[in-house]
Amino acid sequence: VSRDFLPRGSGIVTRRPLVLQLITAKTEYAEFLHCKGRKFTDFDEVRQEIEVETDRITGVNKGISSIPINLRIYSPHVLSLTLIDLPGITKVPVGDQPPDIEQQIRDMIMQFISRENCLILAVTPANTDLANSDALKLAKEVDPQGLRTIGVITKLDLMDEGTDAREILENKLLPLRRGYIGVVNRSQKDIDGKKDIKAALLAERKFFLSHPAYRHMADRMGTPYLQKVLNQQLTNHIRDTLPAFRSKLQSQLLSIEHEVEVYKNFRPEDPTRKTKALLQMVQQFSVDFEKRIEGSGDQVDTLELSGGAKINRIFHERFPFELVKMEFNEKELRREISYAIKNIHGIRQVLPTGLFTPDMAFEAIVKKQIVKLKGPCLKSVDLVMQELINTVKKCTKKLATYPRLCEETERIVAGYIREREEKTKDQVLLLIDIQVSYINTNHEDFIGFANAQQRSSQVNKSAVGNQVIRKGWLTINNIGIMKGGSKEYWFVLTAESLSWYKDDE
């Protein structure tokens, strides 16, 4: 800028981004966006204003903020450029700085250098190792190809005697596509001694021309050359990015124009618009309700079961649990069966318990057991009903901005569900009544007389095996196939077969 106005000192000085717009003009003055209309001609006042504005947001004790300060400088000595001065990365917090100060500054820098339409000026002191440069490291993260990065090497005059940065400046050590430019700025002593910038620029030029390592590239070094290169590269960069930028703006303009057309005739009081909005909200409620019951909702609850999943659980886990929980006293049941059989026989009881269980006694006991299912079934209907009402309440949350509509929707839908509840309960009770009215004993799981006999024989088989039940002589009379009319045979009766032989051997 050819002017001394940026605050300098030890520790972190730049604590807010400074957006510096340089504009070529006939007269020289500065203007802040936060003090619009006020022209600064004294650049010491500009420095003070930067310091005051920084402290206003960040406080006086080294805090930082990502809210930028916007400064425009009009001058005949500048080329049109926009620069953003960012803080250097601090490793250790000082003053009121938070413990994560390094991360905060890093995030702030990233916010600016990630933009595709900006060039990155990676400034590194020559008296430190280039491989450790924070600026180059961050630039490489957002610009791995090095298409937007320009290297600037400062403090070339402070390098140890016998060392130089020639390899870096010749772009051989860590090559960048846009190369490196060396500059020599004023020292703190020069600043304290009020050394003029013009004199500093002359001293810089003299340094490059007289230094044996940099003499051959003196024309490509120094602040004036950096200014020229930046202006040229920014112009080229703007030229490259402008077509894409223009087409993006045009597409945005078209979409905005389309929106304008839609809202041009917008009348908020139009009843058709209200009706449409109402229908859309009701339709959305319907879709949300269905999604919560059927599944595949856009907002999945990860904290608890709800909607369709909970109803599924009621059917497959809670209902069987309620059935198992039914009170069942075997001793009591045996007594009931005994009384039922005796009561059916009445006065005709010859034997103490009767030979067979009468059908009527069986049916009386079984019906009593089936009727017990009513409780768990009706409880399951109540649980499902409760979950449906909860689901309705969750779905009406989106209508909260219209309390009356929300309330009415809840009332109507809940009322409709309660109507269904009554019909469902009637249906469940009817199913149980159907089961009670006709006791079916033809089912394969039912242990009737035939099945009981079969199972009994299977049990005996497995227990007895091919055990001999009886053996001995038996005389067979009047059988035509045997000569002599009658004959004695040796018979063996086992659990599985009956065999006969000529004799006992």
Side-chain angles (χ1 to χ4, degrees):
V1 187
S2 307
R3 284 285 182 180
D4 180 13
F5 63 88
L6 286 178
R8 277 188 61 168
S10 58
I12 182 167
V13 178
T14 309
R15 293 183 285 126
R16 281 177 66 182
L18 177 72
V19 179
L20 189 60
Q21 288 175 281
L22 309 183
I23 300 159
T24 310
K26 288 178 182 174
T27 55
E28 191 172 54
Y29 64 93
E31 217 175 42
F32 284 97
L33 198 65
H34 61 270
C35 318
K36 233 173 181 178
R38 184 181 167 192
K39 292 182 179 180
F40 292 81
T41 49
D42 183 350
F43 280 83
D44 283 337
E45 284 183 21
V46 173
R47 184 193 292 107
Q48 284 167 9
E49 185 59 40
I50 292 171
E51 287 172 352
V52 167
E53 182 59 19
T54 301
D55 291 345
R56 189 175 67 81
I57 299 287
T58 61
V60 293
N61 206 358
K62 304 291 182 189
I64 67 154
S65 168
S66 59
I67 303 165
I69 299 171
N70 290 71
L71 172 63
R72 281 182 182 173
I73 291 180
Y74 299 84
S75 169
H77 310 299
V78 298
L79 293 172
S80 292
L81 267 180
T82 299
L83 299 159
I84 300 168
D85 184 24
L86 294 165
I89 289 188
T90 299
K91 305 285 182 188
V92 181
V94 293
D96 286 341
Q97 289 171 359
D100 63 338
I101 183 75
E102 183 183 355
Q103 190 59 42
Q104 281 193 25
I105 295 176
R106 186 190 165 87
D107 293 344
M108 186 201 297
I109 293 170
M110 283 294 190
Q111 188 183 324
F112 287 94
I113 66 172
S114 301
R115 296 171 191 169
E116 284 295 320
N117 59 341
C118 88
L119 292 172
I120 303 163
L121 209 58
V123 183
T124 309
N127 56 357
T128 61
D129 187 358
L130 193 67
N132 295 334
S133 167
D134 287 322
L136 282 172
K137 184 187 171 196
L138 287 178
K140 203 155 188 66
E141 280 182 36
V142 292
D143 179 32
Q145 303 294 319
L147 300 173
R148 302 188 285 121
T149 307
I150 300 166
V152 177
I153 306 297
T154 63
K155 302 187 181 176
L156 289 164
D157 55 330
L158 300 182
M159 291 185 79
D160 291 344
E161 282 187 39
T163 61
D164 59 57
R166 181 174 171 170
E167 275 201 340
I168 299 169
L169 295 172
E170 286 177 349
N171 208 15
K172 289 177 183 172
L173 187 65
L174 282 169
L176 285 177
R177 196 164 293 196
R178 294 177 187 260
Y180 292 87
I181 297 165
V183 294
V184 176
N185 292 325
R186 294 171 304 159
S187 64
Q188 193 62 47
K189 185 183 173 187
D190 293 337
I191 292 165
D192 295 341
K194 304 282 183 191
K195 185 177 181 179
D196 185 42
I197 284 186
K198 284 180 183 172
L201 291 174
L202 287 171
E204 180 188 50
R205 178 91 180 130
K206 188 180 173 186
F207 172 80
F208 283 114
L209 286 169
S210 60
H211 198 290
Y214 312 130
R215 197 182 297 148
H216 66 291
M217 48 179 160
D219 291 341
R220 286 178 283 114
M221 296 291 129
T223 308
Y225 180 73
L226 174 64
Q227 191 184 39
K228 185 180 164 189
V229 164
L230 286 182
N231 178 264
Q232 192 181 346
Q233 298 214 8
L234 191 65
T235 307
N236 294 343
H237 190 62
I238 289 168
R239 194 183 295 123
D240 293 341
T241 55
L242 204 58
F245 192 55
R246 188 167 175 235
S247 63
K248 187 182 172 187
L249 277 176
Q250 278 179 328
S251 66
Q252 281 182 338
L253 182 66
L254 283 170
S255 70
I256 289 167
E257 280 175 351
H258 178 69
E259 261 186 80
V260 168
E261 281 300 314
V262 172
Y263 291 111
K264 192 187 282 179
N265 303 317
F266 178 75
R267 295 195 304 279
E269 294 306 312
D270 186 358
T272 57
R273 189 166 290 284
K274 287 182 177 180
T275 309
K276 188 181 175 184
L278 175 70
L279 285 171
Q280 281 175 340
M281 282 188 277
V282 171
Q283 195 176 8
Q284 186 60 47
F285 167 82
S286 162
V287 170
D288 287 350
F289 186 78
E290 193 176 338
K291 276 185 177 177
R292 281 179 184 270
I293 300 298
E294 294 292 329
S296 74
D298 50 351
Q299 292 174 331
V300 180
D301 191 347
T302 55
L303 299 174
E304 60 174 358
L305 274 185
S306 62
K310 194 161 184 180
I311 291 169
N312 182 293
R313 190 184 189 176
I314 291 166
F315 288 145
H316 292 98
E317 290 181 31
R318 188 65 191 265
F319 179 57
F321 173 70
E322 291 295 330
L323 292 179
V324 171
K325 221 170 68 170
M326 279 197 306
E327 287 182 11
F328 176 73
N329 187 332
E330 196 174 337
K331 196 175 176 185
E332 189 67 36
L333 184 64
R334 284 179 181 280
R335 189 160 59 246
E336 282 182 20
I337 293 169
S338 171
Y339 286 157
I341 293 170
K342 285 174 181 174
N343 286 334
I344 293 296
H345 281 294
I347 202 168
R348 292 174 285 108
Q349 293 179 52
V350 182
L351 294 171
T353 54
L355 289 169
F356 301 106
T357 307
D359 290 352
M360 286 174 73
F362 169 75
E363 283 192 13
I365 296 296
V366 170
K367 282 177 182 177
K368 200 170 178 183
Q369 297 305 311
I370 293 170
V371 169
K372 283 185 180 177
L373 292 172
K374 284 185 181 179
C377 290
L378 294 178
K379 187 168 184 180
S380 292
V381 173
D382 287 337
L383 289 170
V384 171
M385 170 72 187
Q386 192 181 334
E387 186 50 39
L388 285 172
I389 298 291
N390 288 345
T391 306
V392 170
K393 283 180 179 172
K394 283 177 185 173
C395 292
T396 51
K397 279 181 183 175
K398 286 186 181 176
L399 308 175
T401 43
Y402 301 98
R404 281 285 303 281
L405 175 64
C406 183
E407 195 180 308
E408 279 298 292
T409 307
E410 252 182 63
R411 186 185 63 76
I412 291 165
V413 179
Y416 184 76
I417 290 172
R418 285 196 178 93
E419 278 177 36
R420 303 288 104 192
E421 180 194 17
E422 289 307 314
K423 291 187 179 181
T424 307
K425 283 184 174 176
D426 291 345
Q427 189 74 16
V428 168
L429 294 173
L430 177 64
L431 281 170
I432 292 170
D433 289 344
I434 289 168
Q435 297 298 329
V436 168
S437 65
Y438 179 72
I439 305 297
N440 173 23
T441 59
N442 290 332
H443 196 278
E444 59 186 19
D445 288 349
F446 178 72
I447 305 175
F449 179 72
N451 272 8
Q453 212 174 20
Q454 191 181 339
R455 288 189 184 199
S456 168
S457 68
Q458 282 171 357
V459 169
N460 285 341
K461 265 187 192 177
S462 58
V464 176
N466 199 10
Q467 186 182 323
V468 175
I469 296 168
R470 191 154 183 186
K471 58 185 175 182
W473 293 100
L474 200 66
T475 306
I476 307 283
N477 295 311
N478 304 325
I479 291 178
I481 58 166
M482 295 178 186
K483 289 173 184 176
S486 68
K487 195 172 180 178
E488 284 192 333
Y489 284 92
W490 181 260
F491 277 85
V492 179
L493 175 66
T494 69
E496 290 183 351
S497 62
L498 173 65
S499 314
W500 61 90
Y501 307 90
K502 278 191 219 172
D503 54 41
D504 57 349
E505 288 179 12

